[in-house]
């Protein structure tokens, strides 16, 4: 099920298939934005973890560069950190992600940007958290979804953000998951009904031009 798929060719192919310029133009005027950095934890991004995503070594430097540029533009970055014990998540996956487990801390590469961290216990970063209130207090109109995994926490959070009235940008190269099929399925669905799907570089151009 896992594969190293996050190549330049894959990213270019996904943009060709799923970027909708007409929908991007509708979102462009809404420049009060925040970046959501979903679950960038060692559990998913460190080779010693059984949940390691094979394309992490391609993905992490790209996202660090994006966050550095975003920080320079004074765009807020809000991190989430996932952990769960018991309940539906533990029942579904057959194990727990305990808060105190060192693997559930953020990957060191992202710690320079971790000013705000939301703790969550399910796929939806809004459910039972203060995320919605924080975004409203900041006057955010548009959320930019980044992180892991594309088809689980990132996609669920993107759908919820849309339902709550936010514009959603879901960069094609801004999230990572286990394989190409999961990643593409999310882009196919979100680009149709929930989010615009440009590249990280295009998002930076947009943020810089406001």
């Amino acid at each position: 099920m896992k594969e190293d798929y996050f190549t330049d060719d894959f990213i270019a192919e996904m943009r060709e298939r799923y970027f909708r310029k007409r929908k991007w133009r509708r979102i462009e005027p809404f420049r009060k934005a925040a970046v959501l950095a979903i679950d960038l934890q060692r559990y998913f991004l460190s080779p010693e973890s059984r949940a390691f995503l094979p394309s992490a070594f391609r993905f992490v430097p790209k996202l660090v560069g994006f966050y550095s540029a975003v920080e320079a533009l004074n765009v807020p970055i809000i991190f989430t950190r996932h952990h769960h014990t018991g309940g539906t998540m533990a029942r579904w996956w057959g194990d727990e992600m305990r808060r105190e487990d060192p693997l559930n801390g953020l990957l060191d590469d992202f710690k320079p940007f971790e000013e705000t961290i939301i703790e969550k216990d399910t796929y939806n970063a809004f459910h039972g958290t203060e995320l919605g209130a924080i975004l409203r207090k900041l006057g955010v109109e548009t959320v930019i979804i980044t992180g892991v995994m594309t088809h689980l926490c990132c996609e669920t959070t993107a759908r919820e953000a849309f339902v709550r009235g936010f514009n959603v940008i879901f960069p094609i190269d801004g999230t990572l998951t286990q394989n190409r099929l999961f990643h593409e399925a999310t882009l196919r669905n979100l680009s149709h009904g929930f989010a615009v799907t440009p590249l990280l570089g295009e998002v930076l151009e947009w943020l810089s031009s406001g």
Side-chain angles (χ1 to χ4, degrees), residues 10-157:
F10 170 78
I11 292 166
E13 181 184 348
M14 293 301 99
R15 188 194 180 279
E16 178 67 24
R17 290 186 182 182
Y18 301 113
F19 177 66
R20 308 284 188 254
K21 187 174 291 186
R22 175 170 50 88
K23 293 182 178 179
W24 178 230
R25 290 190 183 123
R26 293 175 184 169
I27 289 180
E28 281 181 317
F30 298 93
R31 296 185 179 277
K32 187 62 177 176
V35 174
L36 302 187
I38 306 294
D39 303 352
L40 292 165
Q41 297 160 230
R42 291 191 290 274
Y43 184 79
F44 303 107
L45 301 173
S46 291
E48 67 268 23
S49 172
R50 65 180 183 80
F52 176 65
L53 301 175
S55 285
F57 74 99
R58 301 179 190 270
F59 174 71
V60 169
K62 180 184 287 285
L63 205 55
V64 167
F66 177 73
Y67 290 166
S68 295
V70 162
E71 187 176 62
L73 294 170
N74 295 315
V75 176
I77 305 172
I78 301 170
F79 282 79
T80 70
R81 187 168 79 100
H82 182 90
H83 48 83
H84 64 263
T85 54
T88 305
M89 293 291 286
R91 186 163 62 250
W92 180 260
W93 293 106
D95 62 7
E96 297 181 332
M97 289 179 64
R98 295 189 174 274
R99 189 180 190 280
E100 64 274 14
D101 187 336
L103 282 176
N104 288 328
L106 292 183
L107 192 72
D108 288 346
D109 303 64
F110 297 109
K111 288 187 175 181
F113 313 105
E114 64 173 21
E115 183 175 345
T116 303
I117 303 178
I118 303 290
E119 306 279 339
K120 68 182 185 64
D121 62 5
T122 189
Y123 302 134
N124 183 351
F126 288 91
H127 180 75
T129 75
E130 65 271 32
L131 177 58
I134 290 173
L135 293 174
R136 295 300 184 194
K137 185 175 181 180
L138 292 171
V140 169
E141 302 169 311
T142 301
V143 294
I144 302 159
I145 308 288
T146 62
V148 299
M149 285 193 276
T150 304
H151 71 297
L152 294 176
C153 294
C154 295
E155 180 173 347
T156 305
T157 299

